[in-house]
Structure formats: structure tokens, C-alpha cells
Amino acid sequence: MNELISDWVSKLPGISGFEDLATAGIALLGVFFIAGLGYLVVKRILVKLINSFIDKTESDLDDILVKRRVFNRAAYLVPALLIYRLAPEALENYPDLSALFTTLVAIYFVLAIASLVVALIDSLLDIYHTFPVSRQVPIQSFGQVAKLVTYFLAMIVLVSLVVGESPLKLFAGLGAMTAVLMLVFKDPILGFVAGLQLSYNRMVGLGDWVEIPQHQASGDIMEIGLTTVKVRNFDNTITTVPTQNLITDSFKNWRGMQESGGRRIKRAITIDLNSVKFCDQDDLARYSKIDYIKDYIASKSDELEAHNKEHVVDHEAMANGRRLTNVGTFRAYMLAYLQHHPHIHKEMTIMVRQLAATESGLPIEIYAFSAIKEWAQYETIQADIFDHLFAVAREFDLRVFQKPTGADLHHMGTA
């Protein structure tokens, strides 16, 4: 090629003495033209055909390659390859300039390959995230490690091109810098090891609701990275937690609740002890009109009557024998109410228990599971249950305890 250009250049007037320079310049322009033409052919024709073919396929996975511009980045390799191959021939009379030019093109080629590899890694991560298993086994940190290794290798190759040494020699020299590298990459190394443990043990996954008290974080995991885990709190703030802290510190993962059939309700009503009493016949007659417990009162009354009759109990004293109490009957009503509630999970534990009395009264605790786990509806169901129980306690002659307020003291003063 240079011979043809040289013959043509030698015929130009006023070019005497600059034939080699003009030949090299024109040849180099020709190389740039061929490289640009090759890029346009690949980018405008080949890549466009590939993208059109992908758009027509039924699968959405290959669309991710288009979204991440994998084929577009691959097109950047074409001009680099053409220039790297043809430029030395164009500059054969200028070896030093040819070597410099080749080095610059090689640097560009390395950067283009690194960019392509990173795009492929991002595409593979996006494809993996389309599968349900990605929520249980996050591999975002592994992708970041792969990109970090890609950048590191690209840097080593770039340095070797600049200094003119083999990359293997640079790797051998890095052995003496192990301590420095460990210090520089301490956080990524710790994060990578923590990410392995989190993924292998399936401790957390994307979308899991976690509580991390040490970092005031309570919300859904939105990203598990190499060095950090991002938690979107319920007030839409984002807390960034070091990945290794999920291994070294304790945290609560609500995934078990989300995957189970219900969400736990565990809350108590505190009864004023002064309102607890035995039930007389008038009380039992009144309670028997309540649908949920009329069968309970009938069967319980028969049981107690048989017991007292067998033991010849003196009914003159209420303390003698066994008798129903208003608080016990209220517990039976609470249990029956939960068992009939449409939003309480019937296949999971339903329990009403009496806790130890305190200075604030007698706690009667509900332990059950809402069949609806969505937070807002769960809170509504729980509130509706206790609204009803607070109001119905008076039907059993019970008072719900609360500490005296200003209005209570004023009422006492005017009584």
C-alpha cells in the first residue's frame, strides 16, 4: 500500500524531500478511514440487525444485552483492531512513532475490552435478578468483585504497556506489596467474605424486612453490595450498613413471618384488679345472652355445679367451691371472639393467657396470627380487635386500667 501511495506522492509538485512523511500521513489517514468505515458498518448495520432480531424474540432475557449496550461496546473493538493491524504498515518508515501509536491503540483496546466485560457482568446480574432465587441468594457482591478484578487486571495490563514490561513481571512484583494491598482492599475483602457467608447461609435476601438496631435501620433490603448493604426504611430514608456488620452484629430478619401463613398479634389488655369478682346468677344470666360464650357458660356451669355438689359445698360463702369469675369469662369470650374472627389464621396458634399481675393491673394477653400480613391491613385488623375488646370489657363489669390523668384527678376532687 505504501508503495502505491509513494509513487503517487512523488508525482505531486513541491513535495520533493517530504515524500516519506507525506506517504506516511496519507497512509495513516487511509487507515483511519478504513477503521471508521469498519465501525460504521458494524455499528449501523450488524449491531442494528442483531438488536432488531432480539426485539422479535419472545424471551426478555436477551433484551437485557441490548439495554446494557453490550453489542454497541463490542463495536468499539473493530476500529481498534483495524488500526492496530494497519497502522504499523502505514508508519513503517517511522518505527518510534509506529511503536507509540501502537501502544496508544493497545491502551484503547484494553479499556474497550474492560468496558465490554463490565457490561457483560451487569447483564448477567440483571438476568439473574429475573429469577425468584435471586431474592434468596443475592450475588450482587460477586458481580462487584468480578468488576473489581476486571479493573485491576486492566490496570496491570495498562501499566505494562506504558513501561514496556510483561504483565507477569508486574504480578510477580505485587507479591512484595501483599501487606499494602491487604490494607488498601481490607473493606472489599471483608465484605466479600461476609457476602459469601450471607449468600451460603441465606441469611438475607433482596426485599427482606430487617431490623438492625445498631444502625437504627428497619425496612426492606434494596441492595447487597461488596462493602455495603442498603436498607430502605419505612420512612423512605436509606441506611447504609457495612456488609460485614451483618455477620459480626445481630439483626432481625422478618422473612420467616413473610413466608409463613400469618403475622403475629401479641398484645395485652390490662384489667383493673379492683373490678375482678365472682359471677352471681344474675351475671351468668346476662353473660348467657352473648352468642360467643353462651355454650361455654352452660357447660362450665354444669361442670362447676357437679363439682360443688359432689364436694357438698356451702354456698353461703362465695369463697367455697369453684365459681366462675368475670375475668375468666372475659378470657373465654376473647378466645371465642378470635376463633370466629374472619382475619385470624385458624391453623396457627390462637391463645388468650393471663400474665403475672403488676402494679398496673392484670394483663390478659392475646397471642394469635393475622391471616393478612400486609402491614397497613395488619395494623387495622389488630386495632379493630382491641377496639372491640376495650369496649366489651364493660359488659363483664371489668375496667381497663390506665394511670390517673388530669381529668381523673379533677373528677376525684369534685366527687
Side-chain angles (χ1 to χ4, degrees):
M1 181 178 65
N2 281 8
E3 294 179 359
L4 295 176
I5 297 175
S6 179
D7 293 340
W8 177 74
V9 167
S10 62
K11 299 177 182 180
L12 296 176
I15 203 72
S16 178
F18 298 97
E19 290 87 351
D20 291 344
L21 182 60
T23 299
I26 294 173
L28 193 59
L29 289 175
V31 169
F32 283 136
F33 175 78
I34 293 173
L37 183 61
Y39 172 74
L40 290 177
V41 169
V42 173
K43 178 70 179 297
R44 302 297 182 184
I45 299 178
L46 184 59
V47 172
K48 191 173 181 180
L49 288 175
I50 293 174
N51 291 344
S52 299
F53 174 76
I54 289 176
D55 288 339
K56 296 177 181 179
T57 60
E58 296 181 358
S59 174
D60 294 331
L61 299 181
D62 48 8
D63 294 336
I64 295 175
L65 297 175
V66 177
K67 177 183 176 182
R68 288 293 183 177
R69 302 177 62 83
V70 172
F71 303 111
N72 294 62
R73 298 191 184 193
Y76 295 141
L77 300 177
V78 174
L81 288 172
L82 292 173
I83 294 174
Y84 188 84
R85 177 65 182 84
L86 299 176
E89 296 183 10
L91 300 174
E92 60 183 355
N93 295 326
Y94 300 92
D96 294 338
L97 183 60
S98 176
L100 176 62
F101 207 82
T102 302
T103 301
L104 293 176
V105 174
I107 291 174
Y108 167 82
F109 188 71
V110 171
L111 293 175
I113 289 180
S115 176
L116 176 60
V117 172
V118 169
L120 285 172
I121 293 172
D122 288 333
S123 300
L124 291 175
L125 288 175
D126 290 345
I127 292 173
Y128 178 74
H129 288 155
T130 61
F131 297 99
V133 70
S134 65
R135 296 179 63 86
Q136 304 297 327
V137 186
I139 61 169
Q140 185 72 25
S141 59
F142 301 118
Q144 291 179 333
V145 169
K147 288 192 282 188
L148 186 62
V149 171
T150 300
Y151 291 135
F152 179 74
L153 293 177
M155 181 183 68
I156 293 297
V157 174
L158 290 177
V159 172
S160 68
L161 290 173
V162 172
V163 301
E165 295 288 346
S166 170
L168 297 178
K169 290 184 178 180
L170 293 180
F171 277 114
L174 288 176
M177 299 178 60
T178 303
V180 177
L181 291 175
M182 290 290 290
L183 181 63
V184 173
F185 295 104
K186 181 187 71 172
D187 290 338
I189 292 173
L190 291 175
F192 177 67
V193 174
L196 285 175
Q197 292 180 275
L198 292 174
S199 298
Y200 180 77
N201 297 316
R202 298 194 176 187
M203 298 172 64
V204 293
L206 296 179
D208 283 359
W209 171 15
V210 297
E211 290 184 12
I212 311 175
Q214 299 86 341
H215 299 273
Q216 291 80 49
S218 178
D220 298 330
I221 290 183
M222 56 183 297
E223 180 182 317
I224 301 176
L226 179 60
T227 57
T228 59
V229 173
K230 291 183 180 179
V231 179
R232 183 183 296 279
N233 300 307
F234 294 123
D235 59 358
N236 285 329
T237 59
I238 296 176
T239 300
T240 302
V241 181
T243 305
Q244 62 267 24
N245 282 22
L246 296 182
I247 300 298
T248 58
D249 298 333
S250 62
F251 68 95
K252 181 185 290 187
N253 191 338
W254 289 82
R255 182 201 303 160
M257 179 277 296
Q258 294 172 326
E259 293 178 348
S260 69
R263 184 168 179 176
R264 188 181 69 174
I265 298 174
K266 184 175 180 290
R267 184 182 294 182
I269 292 178
T270 305
I271 301 299
D272 187 343
L273 286 170
N274 292 321
S275 64
V276 177
K277 66 173 186 176
F278 287 117
C279 297
D280 56 27
Q281 292 302 319
D282 292 337
D283 294 331
L284 294 178
R286 181 157 45 92
Y287 300 158
S288 297
K289 297 178 181 179
I290 302 175
D291 290 337
Y292 286 159
I293 58 172
K294 61 182 181 181
D295 293 337
Y296 164 81
I297 291 177
S299 62
K300 199 69 175 177
S301 296
D302 292 342
E303 175 189 338
L304 297 182
E305 183 179 354
H307 175 274
N308 292 338
K309 188 175 182 179
E310 179 183 351
H311 293 81
V312 192
V313 172
D314 181 6
H315 293 285
E316 291 297 326
M318 297 291 287
N320 293 334
R322 294 175 58 191
R323 299 179 186 277
L324 286 172
T325 62
N326 60 344
V327 70
T329 307
F330 181 54
R331 282 192 293 108
Y333 173 82
M334 293 172 66
L335 180 61
Y337 178 75
L338 293 175
Q339 291 171 339
H340 287 83
H341 197 286
H343 297 306
I344 294 298
H345 201 298
K346 306 306 186 295
E347 302 300 323
M348 303 182 76
T349 302
I350 302 177
M351 180 173 58
V352 177
R353 60 177 180 169
Q354 182 184 116
L355 304 181
T358 68
E359 66 276 7
S360 298
L362 179 65
I364 307 296
E365 184 183 75
I366 284 178
Y367 192 100
F369 291 83
S370 165
I372 298 177
K373 296 174 286 185
E374 196 274 326
W375 191 12
Q377 295 186 56
Y378 161 80
E379 291 293 348
T380 300
I381 292 168
Q382 184 172 232
D384 288 343
I385 290 173
F386 280 88
D387 289 347
H388 176 80
L389 295 178
F390 284 135
V392 83
R394 298 177 183 177
E395 298 295 323
F396 295 88
D397 305 313
L398 292 169
R399 292 191 300 271
V400 178
F401 179 85
Q402 67 176 10
K403 292 183 178 180
T405 63
D408 297 323
L409 298 175
H410 177 73
H411 177 74
M412 292 171 60
T414 57

